[in-house]
Amino acid sequence: MTDKTCFHCGLPVPADTDLPIRYQGGEEAACCAGCQAVAQGIIDAGLGSYYSHRTAQAGQAALPPDEILQQLKLYDLEEVQADFVERLPENQKEALLMLGGITCAACVWLIEQKLLRMEGVVKVELNYSTQRARVRWDEERVKLSDILTVIRQTGYSASPYDAKKVEAAAQKERKTMLIRITVAGLASMQTMMFALPTYLHKDIEPEFLSMLHWGAFLMVLPAMFYAALPFFHGAWRDLKNRRTGMDTPVAIALILTFVAGVYALLRQESGGMYFESLAMFVFFLLTGRFMEQSARRKAGDAAERLVKLVPAFCHRLPEYPASEESQEAAVVTVENGDVLLVRAGEVIPVDGEVLSGESEADEAMLTGEHLPVVKVSGSPVTAGTLNTASPLIIRATQVGGETRLAHIVKLLDRALSQKPHLAQLAERYASGFTLTLILMAIPTFLFWWWYADAGRALWVTVSLLVITCPCALSLATPAALAASTGKLAAQGILIARGHALEVLSQVTDAVFDKTGTLTQGRLTVGKVVQLGQSPHPIAVAKLLEAQSEHPIASAIVALPDDTLPEKHSVSQRVQRVGHGVSAQIDINGSKHIWAIGRPEYVAEISGSLPAQLLELMQQGSVIALGNQEGFQAAFTLQDKVKPAVADLLAKLKQQGISGHILSGDNKASVASLAHSLGIEHMCAQAAPEDKLAYVRRLQRQNKRVLMMGDGINDAPVLAAADVSIAVAGSADVAREGADVVLLNDDLSALDTALQQAARTKIIIRQNLIWATVYNFLVVPLAVAGWVTPWIAALGMSLSSLLVVWNALRLRK
């Protein structure tokens, strides 16, 4: 072996190996062909900054052998992908993967960049804390095996996400930490047993003093070289990458204490052993870290709890309705259309529709609504909800990654993988503070060594390094955000993006869509007014609206049947979002361009608005129908305001938040609703571009705008608002673009979210103030020599725990 270490993985380079890596105009050594290929590939792809940003060495790379490559090819088979790959439109697929070999945030960045530069990879979302990756790709341009091969060639591993494996890994980590704590605790007791006589008697004979010293030394070795390893590993990563982290000052303090103890042992000094303080020091640090990790896991376990809701097995009815004999089947094998039996007390495994039976379902875990929901034939059921009363026979309509529960987990993953501005600032400040702290320790040691008490110089320096470690500062914001996200998810309020809670606490104006948001969205047609000579206005209107999901379309389609002649056809259908639908309809050989929608839109085809229609428009919401021969019919619409809207708006006004209504309905209808709800600001007959301009105008006035909507036409304005909320039952595109998604119809959830955001802001401020004040207070105390090392370890651990425990109050 030589003194050289591998540039990529840090392992020693064999003496007879010459595998250069070209980097920044020079050459670096590699230990094997795998590391050389991976490193050169990273650098040649323009990702060389990985090596300056990483905080730990990569694992030793190896070129995947043919056997491994063949195994990866199996992941391209449809039957293998059926268990974990979601199929999307336009030949796209999406999979959730577990990553292996991740040692620092730079590893996540590297994998993300490598994948995003692959042709055909559409989107990559990585969560460093959970080491999960959600990858979307175009199946026609790249295969899943190609993605897995690139990850492996980069020096990492990836496999389909398995909640059981994740849980097993977490349990293993927890067990290892408990063993380390136990070792440190036993070492602390044993070393104190040897040290206690030196505290009680100052005139111990040299041979007995030597025996006590050596006994304490032997007892502290397991604590130093096994229990404390996590701190040394972290500090070594920091040192190799020329940065300072939370473990750096702790490791320095441990090494200094151990060296001082060995020095005292060899010199046979009678002043102190150091070893009992070292063991106690490690014990307190590990205990604090374990409790902190447990609390953080409890604060951010919302997504994991949701994943575990779906059972592993179910009862399939392969011969239904001929026979109700059930067979045990794995949930991952269930396909759309399969018929399942869900017994009382069992969790529903898929989204579906009830075919037979009457029961009640507990949907509290998903919607926050604790009252059971009645399920009868034709009722929809949701994966992860509990069948409480009696057996149900259901047909699966959405399975695996297509279920509502899977969508919720995706949104939570995305929210937890994003860092708000406050968290980023706190991390940068903590990193700089750590470096300042280490530099401050040098003059402190010199002062005590030369001018104060040389015998206490080491203790003072060790105490300073430990007690001021800014762990609490780094935990202040993420712990609070994770706790609030989990709490709101349990109440049916899904935080889909990391910045949402931060911005919710700053909202000055709340903008609401009307239909489906403030009102129930279950529109009905009050009356049909004949305006022309068409014999089938209702049938034509239903034909035009047949393919739309808009609430108005549903109201038209629900009208009583008005049959058209058998010889009719529809072509050239055009839907203008926010305005209406037009198409060419051929009835018995007579072709006309028909339009239905806002009267102004229909007027583009049918000409000027008739007086009778203008009169109806003054009275409320009206949808018009017409063709080239003129207006043929008008449909007046009725809708009910949601029960909690009035109370919600009153609470918003008490908080100083201004309310606004944006709607595509006519001015009379919108003005009537605004007046009844006490809303001063409104904009009627607003197309999507008008809604967008309205919100941007508010933002130019330095307003922080919350937008709540539900339809496709709300998607642009939801994306533009400072924080956006999609109500229950929203269109898919609205949910995807929203920062917050409500899982039930109760709009009082908005007030709950605002209050929780305000509480979160207070808790974050308390945590930051505490962490900052703590550091400013303990620095002079430590420099003055008033803090011993074991008290420093206890203080640092308690400061971090206090921050996390304070954040956990948000779960109540």
Side-chain angles (χ1 to χ4, degrees), residues 356-370:
S356 174
E358 294 184 5
S359 185
E360 292 181 331
D362 182 355
E363 300 181 347
M365 191 64 182
L366 294 181
T367 66
E369 177 57 59
H370 291 279

Side-chain angles (χ1 to χ4, degrees), residues 4 51 77 202 211 239 241 381 464 476 488 601 628 704 745:
K4 291 182 179 180
Y51 290 104
L77 298 176
K202 299 299 181 183
M211 185 185 303
L239 178 63
N241 292 280
V381 291
L464 174 65
L488 290 173
Y601 169 69
Q628 295 106 316
R704 299 290 268 177
D745 285 325

Side-chain angles (χ1 to χ4, degrees), residues 127 129-130 132 161 294-310 365-366 405-416 479 481-496 743 808 811:
N127 189 329
S129 58
T130 60
R132 283 191 280 184
Y161 174 77
S294 299
R296 286 172 63 192
R297 192 175 293 115
K298 186 183 294 183
D301 66 350
E304 294 299 329
R305 284 187 285 116
L306 289 175
V307 169
K308 294 174 186 175
L309 285 179
V310 177
M365 191 64 182
L366 294 181
L405 177 64
H407 180 72
I408 292 171
V409 171
K410 285 182 196 175
L411 293 179
L412 270 179
D413 271 343
R414 182 174 67 188
L416 294 174
L481 293 175
S484 270
T485 299
K487 171 66 175 176
L488 290 173
Q491 295 179 297
I493 305 165
L494 192 62
I495 303 299
L743 301 180
L808 285 176
R811 289 166 53 95

Side-chain angles (χ1 to χ4, degrees), residues 739-778:
D739 302 316
V740 181
V741 178
L742 303 185
L743 301 180
N744 57 53
D745 285 325
D746 186 4
L747 281 196
S748 64
L750 174 57
D751 182 57
T752 301
L754 290 170
Q755 290 188 24
Q756 187 73 6
R759 289 183 63 214
T760 305
K761 183 179 180 179
I762 292 171
I763 293 294
I764 290 175
R765 184 183 292 120
Q766 290 174 350
N767 283 351
L768 290 174
I769 290 174
W770 158 249
T772 304
V773 169
Y774 165 81
N775 281 318
F776 276 111
L777 286 177
V778 298

Side-chain angles (χ1 to χ4, degrees), residues 94-394:
E94 185 173 285
L96 184 61
L97 305 174
M98 295 186 302
L99 299 176
I102 301 294
T103 55
C104 65
C107 298
V108 171
W109 174 86
L110 176 61
I111 295 173
E112 183 179 40
Q113 293 301 313
K114 292 282 282 186
L115 293 182
L116 287 175
R117 295 186 184 204
M118 290 183 68
E119 183 179 357
V121 173
V122 179
K123 185 175 71 171
V124 180
E125 291 179 354
L126 285 90
N127 189 329
Y128 172 52
S129 58
T130 60
Q131 297 192 5
R132 283 191 280 184
R134 191 175 296 278
V135 183
R136 182 179 298 178
W137 70 94
D138 185 338
E139 181 69 9
E140 290 188 347
R141 299 163 64 196
V142 68
K143 299 295 183 184
L144 177 57
S145 61
D146 299 330
I147 295 172
L148 298 176
T149 301
V150 166
I151 295 175
R152 181 172 284 273
Q153 288 176 340
T154 309
Y156 305 92
S157 63
S159 58
Y161 174 77
D162 187 330
K164 291 182 179 179
K165 289 182 180 179
V166 172
E167 181 68 21
Q171 291 294 336
K172 182 179 179 181
E173 181 184 355
R174 177 184 175 89
K175 182 179 179 180
T176 302
M177 182 64 83
L178 285 173
I179 292 173
R180 293 187 193 277
I181 291 173
T182 302
V183 170
L186 291 173
S188 178
M189 288 186 287
Q190 294 301 315
T191 52
M192 182 56 72
M193 180 183 70
F194 285 105
L196 187 60
T198 65
Y199 290 119
L200 300 177
H201 304 283
K202 299 299 181 183
D203 54 350
I204 300 176
E205 296 180 7
E207 59 269 24
F208 294 111
L209 182 62
S210 177
M211 185 185 303
L212 294 174
H213 266 243
W214 280 103
F217 170 73
L218 293 175
M219 291 298 103
V220 84
L221 291 179
M224 182 68 181
F225 294 104
Y226 171 72
L229 277 180
F231 304 111
F232 294 133
H233 287 157
W236 180 239
R237 287 198 306 265
D238 296 336
L239 178 63
K240 288 190 296 185
N241 292 280
R242 301 175 184 177
R243 65 184 294 273
T244 54
M246 303 303 165
D247 290 329
T248 306
V250 172
I252 293 174
L254 288 173
I255 292 171
L256 288 176
T257 307
F258 184 74
V259 169
V262 172
Y263 180 79
L265 170 64
L266 297 177
R267 293 284 300 269
Q268 292 296 306
E269 294 180 355
S270 59
M273 291 186 182
Y274 297 92
F275 297 132
E276 76 282 5
S277 295
L278 175 61
M280 192 182 300
F281 181 28
V282 173
F283 174 71
F284 281 134
L285 287 172
L286 287 173
T287 303
R289 177 166 292 191
F290 175 76
M291 296 175 70
E292 169 207 314
Q293 289 175 346
S294 299
R296 286 172 63 192
R297 192 175 293 115
K298 186 183 294 183
D301 66 350
E304 294 299 329
R305 284 187 285 116
L306 289 175
V307 169
K308 294 174 186 175
L309 285 179
V310 177
F313 298 96
C314 62
H315 314 292
R316 182 185 277 148
L317 304 178
E319 300 179 10
Y320 183 86
S323 171
E324 294 188 4
E325 184 177 349
S326 65
Q327 296 178 358
E328 289 291 309
V331 171
V332 295
T333 65
V334 175
E335 299 178 354
N336 288 345
D338 283 358
V339 178
L340 308 177
L341 170 66
V342 183
R343 299 190 175 109
E346 292 183 343
V347 174
I348 297 171
V350 296
D351 289 357
E353 180 185 359
V354 177
L355 298 178
S356 174
E358 294 184 5
S359 185
E360 292 181 331
D362 182 355
E363 300 181 347
M365 191 64 182
L366 294 181
T367 66
E369 177 57 59
H370 291 279
L371 292 177
V373 181
V374 175
K375 300 296 179 182
V376 296
S377 180
S379 298
V381 291
T382 305
T385 57
L386 179 66
N387 180 26
T388 60
S390 58
L392 290 174
I393 295 177
I394 66 172

Side-chain angles (χ1 to χ4, degrees), residues 326-662:
S326 65
Q327 296 178 358
E328 289 291 309
V331 171
V332 295
T333 65
V334 175
E335 299 178 354
N336 288 345
D338 283 358
V339 178
L340 308 177
L341 170 66
V342 183
R343 299 190 175 109
E346 292 183 343
V347 174
I348 297 171
V350 296
D351 289 357
E353 180 185 359
V354 177
L355 298 178
S356 174
E358 294 184 5
S359 185
E360 292 181 331
D362 182 355
E363 300 181 347
M365 191 64 182
L366 294 181
T367 66
E369 177 57 59
H370 291 279
L371 292 177
V373 181
V374 175
K375 300 296 179 182
V376 296
S377 180
S379 298
V381 291
T382 305
T385 57
L386 179 66
N387 180 26
T388 60
S390 58
L392 290 174
I393 295 177
I394 66 172
R395 175 180 285 114
T397 57
Q398 301 287 347
V399 300
E402 300 173 355
T403 63
R404 183 184 179 197
L405 177 64
H407 180 72
I408 292 171
V409 171
K410 285 182 196 175
L411 293 179
L412 270 179
D413 271 343
R414 182 174 67 188
L416 294 174
S417 66
Q418 298 172 344
K419 287 185 180 178
H421 181 63
L422 271 177
Q424 294 173 359
L425 284 178
E427 283 188 1
R428 284 200 295 267
Y429 175 77
S431 179
F433 183 85
T434 304
L435 179 59
T436 304
L437 163 66
I438 294 173
L439 295 176
M440 186 189 300
I442 298 172
T444 301
F445 176 82
L446 295 176
F447 171 81
W448 277 87
W449 184 266
W450 286 336
Y451 301 107
D453 184 351
R456 297 180 60 198
L458 178 64
W459 284 136
V460 172
T461 305
V462 168
S463 300
L464 174 65
L465 287 170
V466 174
I467 200 169
T468 51
C469 183
C471 297
L473 191 61
S474 294
L475 290 170
T477 302
L481 293 175
S484 270
T485 299
K487 171 66 175 176
L488 290 173
Q491 295 179 297
I493 305 165
L494 192 62
I495 303 299
R497 284 182 170 80
H499 75 281
L501 279 171
E502 186 178 347
V503 181
L504 274 173
S505 65
Q506 305 166 0
V507 166
T508 60
D509 291 72
V511 180
F512 300 92
D513 174 47
K514 174 179 170 284
T515 304
T517 302
L518 293 178
T519 63
Q520 293 179 349
R522 292 188 286 272
L523 292 171
T524 57
V525 176
K527 60 181 178 180
V528 181
V529 179
Q530 188 84 23
L531 299 176
Q533 302 301 316
S534 173
H536 307 289
I538 294 177
V540 171
K542 293 172 70 172
L543 203 59
L544 288 168
E545 296 282 23
Q547 296 182 6
S548 175
E549 296 182 1
H550 195 280
I552 293 176
S554 300
I556 297 294
V557 172
L559 287 169
D561 287 341
D562 177 18
T563 57
L564 285 171
E566 291 185 7
K567 293 184 178 181
H568 69 271
S569 62
V570 181
S571 60
Q572 301 177 21
R573 186 188 300 271
V574 177
Q575 181 168 342
R576 191 190 299 178
V577 176
H579 293 82
V581 181
S582 67
Q584 178 176 281
I585 300 180
D586 183 348
I587 302 176
N588 287 335
S590 176
K591 296 181 180 179
H592 288 89
I593 299 295
W594 287 82
I596 187 170
R598 292 167 55 175
E600 295 83 2
Y601 169 69
V602 178
E604 296 176 8
I605 294 174
S606 303
S608 59
L609 303 176
Q612 190 177 3
L613 179 57
L614 289 170
E615 184 179 345
L616 290 172
M617 290 169 62
Q618 297 299 318
Q619 299 171 8
S621 297
V622 177
I623 292 299
L625 173 73
N627 57 22
Q628 295 106 316
E629 297 179 357
F631 283 87
Q632 300 300 320
F635 305 86
T636 62
L637 300 175
Q638 300 173 340
D639 197 2
K640 291 183 179 180
V641 177
K642 290 182 178 178
V645 168
D647 289 341
L648 169 65
L649 293 171
K651 290 177 180 177
L652 292 181
K653 188 172 289 187
Q654 291 175 1
Q655 297 173 41
I657 298 175
S658 300
H660 305 253
I661 296 181
L662 291 183

Side-chain angles (χ1 to χ4, degrees), residues 38-60:
V38 170
Q40 201 63 62
I42 292 170
I43 295 165
D44 292 345
L47 303 174
S49 55
Y50 160 73
Y51 290 104
S52 58
H53 292 152
R54 62 179 180 174
T55 57
Q57 298 286 11
Q60 184 176 21

